Amino acid sequence: MPLTAAGLMRPPMLVALVLAVSAAGLWLAWPWLAPLWFSVSAAPDRPDRLVVLDGTPSRLAQAERLAAALPPQRLLIRCPRSTPPPQPLPELLQGFDTTTQITALADWLRVQPVPSPRRVWIATDPDHTARAVLLARLALGGRGLAVAPAPPPPPSTLERRKLLRDALRLTLWRAIGSSGGWLVPEQVARKRVACGV
């Protein structure tokens, strides 16, 4: 980096560096800022949507508890090989882990006709909720969608490690459109086979 005699950067380089760091910071913070600035109206034609991640009985029970408190539209995201729910729900048979389920939801919401939901409620296991909500905020927050429950319960130690890994994957997805499955092809292949995707 070119320095002047006093050891300081030249003003144009300093300005460029400050602008680059500011732009990167805004891009990283956008999923949290956009819902505050561009919140989707609370009009009745924009109902909440309840999204259930995977079809395990405990996650479906959590969805029923949330649905009793509010009347949202529902969507189940599950692996094709997992057990379907006892009562039919609209489904996305995509996603073999939390990150791919959330990216599938974001892609699905992007192609839906307007109006989009004003808030997306995530229903999953209590221990999985913190990670799923954070990832949904990363993927959907930039579109001005609020993600609930807020605040999510604190994650366990194991979930914290997964949360950091998956947050990095979602950030990569926001930047280049891929969650980085090409970095670990054997793991992705194993998960796809287990899920039937």
Side-chain angles (χ1 to χ4, degrees), residues 67-79:
L70 51 123
Q73 298 174 353
R74 298 181 192 180
L75 176 68
L76 173 64
I77 302 177
R78 70 177 182 92
C79 289

PDB file of all heavy atoms in Angstrom, residues 67-79:
ATOM      1  N   ALA A  67     -49.739 -22.278  14.642  1.00  0.00           N
ATOM      2  CA  ALA A  67     -50.929 -22.020  13.836  1.00  0.00           C
ATOM      3  C   ALA A  67     -52.147 -21.740  14.709  1.00  0.00           C
ATOM      4  O   ALA A  67     -53.049 -21.008  14.299  1.00  0.00           O
ATOM      5  CB  ALA A  67     -51.201 -23.195  12.912  1.00  0.00           C
ATOM      6  N   ALA A  68     -52.173 -22.292  15.913  1.00  0.00           N
ATOM      7  CA  ALA A  68     -53.293 -22.034  16.809  1.00  0.00           C
ATOM      8  C   ALA A  68     -53.301 -20.577  17.270  1.00  0.00           C
ATOM      9  O   ALA A  68     -54.352 -20.015  17.551  1.00  0.00           O
ATOM     10  CB  ALA A  68     -53.216 -22.964  18.025  1.00  0.00           C
ATOM     11  N   ALA A  69     -52.121 -19.951  17.331  1.00  0.00           N
ATOM     12  CA  ALA A  69     -52.027 -18.572  17.796  1.00  0.00           C
ATOM     13  C   ALA A  69     -52.280 -17.551  16.691  1.00  0.00           C
ATOM     14  O   ALA A  69     -52.625 -16.416  16.969  1.00  0.00           O
ATOM     15  CB  ALA A  69     -50.651 -18.330  18.411  1.00  0.00           C
ATOM     16  N   LEU A  70     -52.072 -17.923  15.443  1.00  0.00           N
ATOM     17  CA  LEU A  70     -52.275 -16.999  14.332  1.00  0.00           C
ATOM     18  C   LEU A  70     -52.725 -17.788  13.111  1.00  0.00           C
ATOM     19  O   LEU A  70     -52.420 -18.962  12.993  1.00  0.00           O
ATOM     20  CB  LEU A  70     -50.991 -16.226  14.029  1.00  0.00           C
ATOM     21  CG  LEU A  70     -49.733 -17.047  13.836  1.00  0.00           C
ATOM     22  CD1 LEU A  70     -49.129 -16.753  12.489  1.00  0.00           C
ATOM     23  CD2 LEU A  70     -48.750 -16.660  14.924  1.00  0.00           C
ATOM     24  N   PRO A  71     -53.453 -17.159  12.218  1.00  0.00           N
ATOM     25  CA  PRO A  71     -53.979 -17.895  11.065  1.00  0.00           C
ATOM     26  C   PRO A  71     -53.142 -17.720   9.793  1.00  0.00           C
ATOM     27  O   PRO A  71     -53.594 -17.127   8.832  1.00  0.00           O
ATOM     28  CB  PRO A  71     -55.361 -17.275  10.880  1.00  0.00           C
ATOM     29  CG  PRO A  71     -55.169 -15.855  11.330  1.00  0.00           C
ATOM     30  CD  PRO A  71     -54.112 -15.882  12.390  1.00  0.00           C
ATOM     31  N   PRO A  72     -51.917 -18.211   9.781  1.00  0.00           N
ATOM     32  CA  PRO A  72     -51.113 -18.011   8.576  1.00  0.00           C
ATOM     33  C   PRO A  72     -51.368 -19.078   7.514  1.00  0.00           C
ATOM     34  O   PRO A  72     -51.941 -20.120   7.788  1.00  0.00           O
ATOM     35  CB  PRO A  72     -49.685 -18.148   9.103  1.00  0.00           C
ATOM     36  CG  PRO A  72     -49.835 -19.165  10.190  1.00  0.00           C
ATOM     37  CD  PRO A  72     -51.184 -18.897  10.823  1.00  0.00           C
ATOM     38  N   GLN A  73     -50.891 -18.785   6.329  1.00  0.00           N
ATOM     39  CA  GLN A  73     -50.830 -19.801   5.290  1.00  0.00           C
ATOM     40  C   GLN A  73     -49.657 -20.700   5.664  1.00  0.00           C
ATOM     41  O   GLN A  73     -48.724 -20.266   6.313  1.00  0.00           O
ATOM     42  CB  GLN A  73     -50.587 -19.158   3.935  1.00  0.00           C
ATOM     43  CG  GLN A  73     -51.687 -18.223   3.518  1.00  0.00           C
ATOM     44  CD  GLN A  73     -51.322 -17.494   2.232  1.00  0.00           C
ATOM     45  OE1 GLN A  73     -50.219 -17.583   1.724  1.00  0.00           O
ATOM     46  NE2 GLN A  73     -52.274 -16.747   1.714  1.00  0.00           N
ATOM     47  N   ARG A  74     -49.698 -21.950   5.233  1.00  0.00           N
ATOM     48  CA  ARG A  74     -48.649 -22.889   5.616  1.00  0.00           C
ATOM     49  C   ARG A  74     -47.906 -23.408   4.404  1.00  0.00           C
ATOM     50  O   ARG A  74     -48.448 -23.494   3.315  1.00  0.00           O
ATOM     51  CB  ARG A  74     -49.246 -24.082   6.361  1.00  0.00           C
ATOM     52  CG  ARG A  74     -49.929 -23.685   7.628  1.00  0.00           C
ATOM     53  CD  ARG A  74     -50.479 -24.895   8.313  1.00  0.00           C
ATOM     54  NE  ARG A  74     -51.375 -24.474   9.372  1.00  0.00           N
ATOM     55  CZ  ARG A  74     -52.005 -25.296  10.154  1.00  0.00           C
ATOM     56  NH1 ARG A  74     -51.856 -26.600  10.001  1.00  0.00           N
ATOM     57  NH2 ARG A  74     -52.799 -24.851  11.093  1.00  0.00           N
ATOM     58  N   LEU A  75     -46.644 -23.781   4.663  1.00  0.00           N
ATOM     59  CA  LEU A  75     -45.808 -24.406   3.651  1.00  0.00           C
ATOM     60  C   LEU A  75     -44.871 -25.358   4.375  1.00  0.00           C
ATOM     61  O   LEU A  75     -44.252 -24.992   5.366  1.00  0.00           O
ATOM     62  CB  LEU A  75     -44.995 -23.353   2.884  1.00  0.00           C
ATOM     63  CG  LEU A  75     -44.003 -23.903   1.862  1.00  0.00           C
ATOM     64  CD1 LEU A  75     -44.746 -24.545   0.686  1.00  0.00           C
ATOM     65  CD2 LEU A  75     -43.104 -22.794   1.369  1.00  0.00           C
ATOM     66  N   LEU A  76     -44.784 -26.584   3.883  1.00  0.00           N
ATOM     67  CA  LEU A  76     -43.886 -27.583   4.451  1.00  0.00           C
ATOM     68  C   LEU A  76     -42.727 -27.778   3.483  1.00  0.00           C
ATOM     69  O   LEU A  76     -42.935 -27.985   2.294  1.00  0.00           O
ATOM     70  CB  LEU A  76     -44.636 -28.904   4.651  1.00  0.00           C
ATOM     71  CG  LEU A  76     -43.811 -30.115   5.084  1.00  0.00           C
ATOM     72  CD1 LEU A  76     -43.199 -29.907   6.463  1.00  0.00           C
ATOM     73  CD2 LEU A  76     -44.666 -31.365   5.075  1.00  0.00           C
ATOM     74  N   ILE A  77     -41.506 -27.692   3.994  1.00  0.00           N
ATOM     75  CA  ILE A  77     -40.323 -27.976   3.191  1.00  0.00           C
ATOM     76  C   ILE A  77     -39.726 -29.252   3.761  1.00  0.00           C
ATOM     77  O   ILE A  77     -39.312 -29.287   4.917  1.00  0.00           O
ATOM     78  CB  ILE A  77     -39.298 -26.831   3.249  1.00  0.00           C
ATOM     79  CG1 ILE A  77     -39.943 -25.532   2.775  1.00  0.00           C
ATOM     80  CG2 ILE A  77     -38.080 -27.166   2.397  1.00  0.00           C
ATOM     81  CD1 ILE A  77     -39.047 -24.328   2.861  1.00  0.00           C
ATOM     82  N   ARG A  78     -39.716 -30.308   2.947  1.00  0.00           N
ATOM     83  CA  ARG A  78     -39.240 -31.598   3.453  1.00  0.00           C
ATOM     84  C   ARG A  78     -38.523 -32.377   2.367  1.00  0.00           C
ATOM     85  O   ARG A  78     -38.651 -32.096   1.179  1.00  0.00           O
ATOM     86  CB  ARG A  78     -40.391 -32.423   4.012  1.00  0.00           C
ATOM     87  CG  ARG A  78     -41.358 -32.935   2.971  1.00  0.00           C
ATOM     88  CD  ARG A  78     -42.430 -33.815   3.607  1.00  0.00           C
ATOM     89  NE  ARG A  78     -43.330 -34.342   2.608  1.00  0.00           N
ATOM     90  CZ  ARG A  78     -43.170 -35.509   1.995  1.00  0.00           C
ATOM     91  NH1 ARG A  78     -42.153 -36.275   2.290  1.00  0.00           N
ATOM     92  NH2 ARG A  78     -44.042 -35.920   1.094  1.00  0.00           N
ATOM     93  N   CYS A  79     -37.781 -33.366   2.825  1.00  0.00           N
ATOM     94  CA  CYS A  79     -37.143 -34.301   1.904  1.00  0.00           C
ATOM     95  C   CYS A  79     -38.217 -35.214   1.320  1.00  0.00           C
ATOM     96  O   CYS A  79     -39.168 -35.574   2.024  1.00  0.00           O
ATOM     97  CB  CYS A  79     -36.136 -35.178   2.645  1.00  0.00           C
ATOM     98  SG  CYS A  79     -34.670 -34.336   3.188  1.00  0.00           S
TER      99      CYS A  79
END
